[in-house]
Amino acid sequence: MKSTIIPSTKANDIKRVWHVVDVKGKTIGAAATEIAVKLMGKGKPNFVRHLDCGDYVVVINSKLVESTGKKETKKMYGNYSGYPGGLKEKALWQVRKENPNEVIRHAVWGMLPTNKLRDRLVTRLFIYPDEKHSHTEVLGK
């Protein structure tokens, strides 16, 4: 029986594409899953875990993303300074009011693999609160 050797993906073989994701009417988790898959490049035939194979993602209408149940008041976003009494928490509605992009960024960050590629993957994520964005020339629209 003859075996065929499939060549592994090299860094030069990776081609990056721009995607626009409209999160209007989608739940936070469903939108973040779609975005994370595109950032990692898991839908590509030449995907390998140890290389950065992902694409660029432009997210529009981040202020119109939805949440289910009582998450608007019950879901808390925390920040700890490291000092006693240094835990600061905000509810989803407060974070959404101050910076609607942070809700999407936080959800996507949690869905990316916790390795050395995570920071590089997030640099290709561009989030805008409404439909206007500055990447029209790259997208060809």
Side-chain angles (χ1 to χ4, degrees):
M1 186 169 173
K2 200 174 197 180
S3 65
T4 59
I5 298 174
I6 300 170
S8 63
T9 302
K10 307 282 190 273
N12 296 337
D13 299 338
I14 299 169
K15 305 288 186 256
R16 302 202 192 284
V17 183
W18 286 80
H19 298 280
V20 177
V21 178
D22 188 1
V23 296
K24 181 179 180 181
K26 294 183 182 178
T27 60
I28 297 169
T33 303
E34 179 184 351
I35 295 164
V37 166
K38 289 180 180 177
L39 283 175
M40 289 186 283
K42 287 189 88 169
K44 294 183 174 184
N46 59 351
F47 170 73
V48 287
R49 289 204 175 274
H50 65 279
L51 288 178
D52 182 9
C53 299
D55 295 332
Y56 293 92
V57 179
V58 178
V59 180
I60 56 174
N61 291 324
S62 69
K63 66 181 178 187
L64 300 175
V65 72
E66 295 179 357
S67 61
T68 58
K70 298 180 180 179
K71 289 187 188 85
E72 284 293 323
T73 56
K74 300 285 185 187
K75 180 166 178 58
M76 302 301 278
Y77 291 85
N79 185 21
Y80 183 58
S81 68
Y83 290 99
L87 179 63
K88 295 183 179 126
E89 290 186 319
K90 293 181 182 177
L92 175 60
W93 68 270
Q94 291 171 314
V95 175
R96 189 189 300 256
K97 190 170 86 172
E98 291 173 9
N99 186 3
N101 301 342
E102 190 58 32
V103 173
I104 300 287
R105 186 175 312 282
H106 187 271
V108 171
W109 178 264
M111 291 189 181
L112 292 175
T114 53
N115 57 21
K116 293 180 180 182
L117 296 176
R118 183 191 246 182
D119 291 334
R120 200 176 319 159
L121 294 173
V122 173
T123 59
R124 289 195 310 276
L125 175 63
F126 304 96
I127 307 172
Y128 296 96
D130 43 19
E131 291 187 8
K132 292 180 281 191
H133 59 86
S134 61
H135 299 285
T136 52
E137 69 280 349
V138 178
L139 295 167
K141 294 181 182 178

